[in-house]
Amino acid sequence: MTQTTHTQTPPPGDGAKPRSPEIRLAAGALHGLRQDLFHDAFAYRPLRRMSVDGPLTRRLPRRMREYAAWTPHALIAAAALLTLAIATVDTGGPALLLGPLCVMPILLTMARPIGAFWLSMAATPIVGALGSRWGDWPWMAGAFACHLTVLTVVAMRTGPRTAAWMWVVTAAYGLLAEAGFGPSYYYGTNTGPMLVVSAMVLLCVAVWHIRREAKEEVTAQQTETAQERSRRTLLEERTTIARELHDVVAHHMSVVAIQAEAAPYRVENPPPELEKAFATIRENAVAALTELRRVLGVVRAEDYEAPDAPQPTLADLDALLANVRDAGLSVEKAVTGAVRELPPGVELSAYRIVQEALSNSLRHAPGASARVEIGYVLGGLGLRIVNGPPPASALLKPSPGAGHGITGMRERVSMLNGEMTADRTDDGGYEVTVFLPVAATTEDGS
């Protein structure tokens, strides 16, 4: 008879006994203490100069701003001098030794903040032992000022968690000093005042840290929101341009397909080669139109409806100017060069640019006069839309826009490899200058 023994093997990683939440909390606290006060405690961390782009320092002269950048260092040095005076006046101990012991930790906060805290903790019992005024045990007057200053500066340079650990270490030292050292049973101690005052100061520093972090977070969110808004505006303008060009190109491709299908019937007894050529043209036009609708159709919103009328061109500019004049803008048009028919994309973009520029004039300079200049040159089309400043007696006030106008115009110009400048004029108006290149064509092919 064979006896089989079943041995249950524990899963990998489950051999260790799980720790309780209290143990994990204590381990995390000890890790934070080690990370904040022991790891690289004497690392070199120089105090950076203050930023001088604030609302007050920005108004100072350039020379004064250079000095103002050293304000934190000057304040720490002033605190060190005040502590030196406290430590050396009426202490009953050797002033030449007590002064440096109380000043060195404060000055060290500008280079090694955590190390300055430990130096202050080490100097406190030495100063207390050398001093003769036991009523200030365990913090003599100079050590009291020194340690409070060090706590404040180091907390500002690190963070609330480090400040909390420094306060805990300070409290532990005070309780230990009262219990085992010094004549506390006769004269009393000042651990209570140290803990109360330092707790209030560190609480204020913690609030300052939280407020600064919240302000930085809000600033970062505002910057990110502005960037997202700019990208969204750019995508919206590109979507609008793509929709309009889709309608223009689709219309012309449809005309090509229809003409190619009807052309053989307009010729009596066309040769088979001609019929085959026109059939190939029609097939390619229909295939290109299908592919165009498939690719560019994704930019259409669900509620977008294609316009019934053809897209506007420069020939429709007079109607636009009349509409703008009815809205209260005095505008005149000047055309130079030989007027000719341009590619549909150029015509549409030029019309939209003039339309948007005049809309901006109505919005930002109500009551002003504007001028539209169109130049047909050999290499392309030039546009100049300029408006004067709004008159002081204007009844309507300028209204800020969403910033889409200039972005849309730049996108259209960039799509056609053109150039554009938009800036204020010397008299307070605004000027938009655009050049749209057009490939040269022969007279027969135009």
Side-chain angles (χ1 to χ4, degrees):
M1 182 176 182
T2 304
Q3 183 178 2
T4 305
T5 304
H6 297 280
T7 304
Q8 185 175 4
T9 304
D14 292 347
K17 185 179 179 181
R19 295 183 298 178
S20 63
E22 293 80 5
I23 296 178
R24 289 199 300 267
L25 182 62
L30 291 177
H31 175 73
L33 173 63
R34 183 171 62 253
Q35 187 70 23
D36 291 342
L37 296 184
F38 291 96
H39 182 68
D40 289 338
F42 287 88
Y44 180 63
R45 300 169 186 172
L47 179 63
R48 292 182 296 180
R49 289 185 294 177
M50 185 182 68
S51 175
V52 292
D53 56 352
L56 296 178
T57 55
R58 195 185 301 121
R59 301 178 181 179
L60 297 176
R62 181 178 179 182
R63 188 70 175 177
M64 293 295 295
R65 286 201 302 268
E66 295 179 359
Y67 292 132
W70 296 97
T71 301
H73 304 75
L75 292 176
I76 294 176
L81 291 177
L82 179 61
T83 303
L84 178 63
I86 296 173
T88 55
V89 175
D90 194 20
T91 59
L96 294 179
L97 185 58
L98 295 178
L101 285 176
C102 295
V103 169
M104 287 176 58
I106 298 178
L107 297 179
L108 190 61
T109 57
M110 292 187 287
R112 308 180 191 274
I114 304 299
F117 168 74
W118 288 117
L119 182 60
S120 177
M121 291 297 302
T124 297
I126 299 176
V127 173
L130 293 177
S132 61
R133 298 180 60 182
W134 292 96
D136 293 334
W137 179 262
W139 277 278
M140 299 291 291
F144 193 100
C146 170
H147 196 66
L148 191 60
T149 304
V150 169
L151 287 177
T152 304
V153 176
V154 177
M156 295 182 67
R157 295 201 58 193
T158 54
R161 192 177 73 172
T162 304
W165 281 121
M166 290 190 300
W167 188 87
V168 169
V169 173
T170 300
Y173 166 75
L175 297 177
L176 181 64
E178 288 184 2
F181 304 96
S184 58
Y185 59 87
Y186 184 76
Y187 291 101
T189 65
N190 56 1
T191 299
M194 166 59 76
L195 296 182
V196 172
V197 175
S198 61
M200 295 177 61
V201 172
L202 295 181
L203 180 61
C204 294
V205 173
V207 172
W208 174 77
H209 268 291
I210 294 173
R211 183 178 181 275
R212 187 182 66 172
E213 292 176 357
K215 184 178 180 181
E216 292 176 353
E217 184 177 355
V218 169
T219 302
Q221 290 179 353
Q222 290 177 347
T223 303
E224 184 177 356
T225 301
Q227 294 175 352
E228 289 294 333
R229 187 185 301 114
S230 177
R231 284 194 292 266
R232 185 172 63 251
T233 300
L234 189 63
L235 291 176
E236 290 175 356
E237 293 299 328
R238 289 180 178 178
T239 300
T240 302
I241 296 171
R243 289 171 179 171
E244 294 178 348
L245 289 181
H246 173 272
D247 297 331
V248 172
V249 176
H251 169 72
H252 286 279
M253 292 299 294
S254 300
V255 172
V256 170
I258 294 173
Q259 293 290 339
E261 184 177 8
Y265 299 100
R266 298 183 179 182
V267 180
E268 186 176 357
N269 297 323
E273 293 82 1
L274 183 61
E275 292 183 354
K276 183 177 180 180
F278 278 118
T280 303
I281 292 174
R282 182 182 181 280
E283 291 176 358
N284 289 332
V286 172
L289 184 60
T290 302
E291 186 68 17
L292 178 67
R293 286 172 176 170
R294 184 183 68 82
V295 175
L296 295 184
V298 298
V299 303
R300 294 186 183 275
E302 295 181 358
D303 57 349
Y304 176 75
E305 296 180 0
D308 297 332
Q311 294 290 351
T313 63
L314 289 177
D316 305 312
L317 199 58
D318 290 336
L320 172 64
L321 299 182
N323 189 16
V324 172
R325 292 189 185 100
D326 293 340
L329 180 66
S330 175
V331 58
E332 59 179 2
K333 183 182 75 169
V335 180
T336 58
V339 179
R340 65 184 187 276
E341 185 177 354
L342 300 175
V346 176
E347 293 266 354
L348 174 61
S349 295
Y351 180 90
R352 294 302 188 196
I353 289 172
V354 174
Q355 183 183 37
E356 186 60 42
L358 294 178
S359 298
N360 288 343
S361 300
L362 281 171
R363 185 182 303 111
H364 299 287
S369 59
R371 178 179 175 86
V372 178
E373 299 178 2
I374 304 174
Y376 291 87
V377 295
L378 184 61
L381 178 71
L383 299 174
R384 180 175 179 268
I385 306 96
V386 59
N387 64 267
S393 58
L395 299 178
L396 298 178
K397 299 298 182 182
S399 61
H404 293 200
I406 298 297
T407 302
M409 287 189 282
R410 292 192 187 278
E411 278 298 305
R412 294 182 183 275
V413 173
S414 176
M415 177 191 63
L416 298 174
N417 296 324
E419 299 178 359
M420 171 181 166
T421 58
D423 200 358
R424 295 191 177 277
T425 58
D426 296 336
D427 60 353
Y430 205 83
E431 178 181 5
V432 176
T433 305
V434 175
F435 177 74
L436 302 177
V438 178
T441 58
T442 61
E443 187 174 349
D444 295 337
S446 59

